Amino acid sequence: MHKPSPIHLIDNPPCLEDVDLNNSFEDGKKQYQKTLAKLQKQLLIVQQAYFHQGHRAILVFEGWDAAGKGGAIRRVTEKLDPRGFRVYPIAAPNQEEQSKHYLFRFQKRLPPAGRIGIFDRSYYGRVLVERVEGFASKKQWQRAYQEINEFERQLSDDGARIIKIFMHISEGEQLKRFEERLQNPYKRWKLTEEDIRNREKWPEYHQAINDMFRQTSTNHSQWQAISGNHKWSARIRVLKYLVDTLSAGVDISPPPVDDNIVALAKQQLGINPQEID
């Protein structure tokens, strides 16, 4: 009898203290843009392979307020085929969602075959903001580690690839970005009362994040912590990690051309098959 695959916690999960926040992209703007364009093209090729082969992927982005999740997601999706992905910005659950299990609203947003679902914040809110702010009881958030691991195990067993990225910044860098948002009339909407209040509980969030890494980095999906102090470096690291992880074990070569299409093109359009690249 077939059974669900076992869940194992990895031996060396990420830890915020181990993230090098001084890591930066030092080759200048021109090289940054060149590297960015190259990785975006590679990611598009991977996306096309997922579409043609019916694979699906779930990208989870978590991080501190103002850590650069939105900017990273924008660069990830900038050159992708918009028909093949969807971004879900996760806010507080609505009244209907509050009456159901917390995983319900994520289950109904899972991508179909050939598509990529991107969560800007996610079900990990149960063990982060809901834990620290007291929206979930101790029993609820402690139970959630196993519930989430089982949820991801089910998805992995069903063929989905789950990638989890945490954007880490220093307290000083966050304060700098908060000030920038407040001073910029086009970014003021990004700074909320909740963002400001959350800084008072930095140590509690720090502990919750490390606990999350330790309890939910499994053989099915482990966390990748990325330094967000330098935006260019963070975006390059995110894209490279996605390209490497999504393409692992996947044939990303283009599918062969349909012989019927070749014959029809030759007959109707006068295109010689030898001219097809």
Side-chain angles (χ1 to χ4, degrees):
M1 178 182 294
H2 290 288
K3 296 181 179 180
S5 61
I7 298 173
H8 299 297
L9 298 179
I10 66 172
D11 293 332
N12 297 299
C15 179
L16 292 182
E17 288 80 1
D18 296 335
V19 179
D20 182 7
L21 293 175
N22 296 316
N23 196 348
S24 63
F25 194 91
E26 300 176 350
D27 295 331
K29 185 175 183 179
K30 185 175 181 179
Q31 184 59 43
Y32 159 71
Q33 292 175 331
K34 181 178 179 181
T35 304
L36 182 70
K38 178 182 177 181
L39 288 169
Q40 288 176 326
K41 182 177 180 180
Q42 290 175 348
L43 190 59
L44 173 62
I45 292 172
V46 174
Q47 182 203 24
Q48 291 175 340
Y50 270 60
F51 176 79
H52 290 297
Q53 298 173 33
H55 300 311
R56 57 181 178 144
I58 299 160
L59 312 185
V60 173
F61 282 83
E62 291 285 353
W64 297 98
D65 297 324
K69 295 184 299 299
I73 291 172
R74 186 158 62 250
R75 272 70 183 185
V76 166
T77 61
E78 195 170 30
K79 301 299 182 180
L80 296 183
D81 188 326
R83 297 169 295 181
F85 74 89
R86 187 166 181 179
V87 177
Y88 297 100
I90 302 300
N94 59 36
Q95 187 173 3
E96 178 195 4
E97 291 167 341
Q98 288 177 355
S99 68
K100 295 179 171 63
H101 192 277
Y102 69 95
L103 288 174
F104 164 76
R105 60 181 176 145
F106 301 99
Q107 291 168 332
K108 68 179 184 179
R109 289 176 170 87
L110 295 175
R115 304 297 195 274
I116 297 173
I118 304 174
F119 290 97
D120 183 356
R121 297 200 184 278
S122 68
Y123 41 88
Y124 281 98
R126 173 59 57 123
V127 297
L128 293 175
V129 64
E130 293 183 38
R131 164 184 170 172
V132 175
E133 301 300 332
F135 299 138
S137 68
K138 185 175 182 179
K139 179 180 178 180
Q140 288 175 323
W141 65 257
Q142 288 186 342
R143 189 182 67 212
Y145 295 128
Q146 182 176 341
E147 293 172 340
I148 289 172
N149 288 343
E150 290 175 349
F151 176 55
E152 292 181 343
R153 186 262 306 276
Q154 290 174 352
L155 295 173
S156 179
D157 283 356
D158 196 43
R161 186 157 295 184
I162 307 164
I163 299 177
K164 303 182 297 197
I165 293 175
F166 188 90
M167 308 291 290
H168 182 37
I169 57 174
S170 66
E171 287 186 82
E173 180 62 25
Q174 186 190 63
L175 182 60
K176 177 182 174 182
R177 294 183 186 182
F178 280 0
E179 182 178 4
E180 178 188 1
R181 289 181 175 185
L182 190 61
Q183 299 295 339
N184 188 332
Y186 297 103
K187 291 187 177 182
R188 287 174 185 163
W189 64 272
K190 291 185 176 183
L191 184 62
T192 67
E193 293 182 11
E194 184 180 78
D195 294 338
I196 297 172
R197 287 196 302 267
N198 286 349
R199 274 184 64 83
E200 299 177 359
K201 298 182 179 180
W202 186 280
E204 290 90 338
Y205 276 103
H206 189 283
Q207 182 62 54
I209 293 162
N210 276 339
D211 287 346
M212 175 186 72
F213 289 159
R214 188 170 57 256
Q215 297 292 341
T216 63
S217 288
T218 71
N219 54 313
H220 296 99
S221 179
Q222 65 183 63
W223 281 98
Q224 178 73 9
I226 291 179
S227 169
N229 265 19
H230 302 275
K231 293 181 180 180
W232 291 356
S233 175
R235 294 163 186 168
I236 294 299
R237 283 175 167 270
V238 167
L239 276 161
K240 188 176 188 310
Y241 182 69
L242 290 179
V243 169
D244 291 345
T245 309
L246 286 172
S247 60
V250 176
D251 180 6
I252 62 172
S253 58
V257 65
D258 188 317
D259 290 339
N260 292 329
I261 296 297
V262 173
L264 189 62
K266 183 177 181 180
Q267 179 183 2
Q268 300 289 340
L269 305 176
I271 298 176
N272 191 315
Q274 283 74 27
E275 296 176 357
I276 297 177
D277 186 359

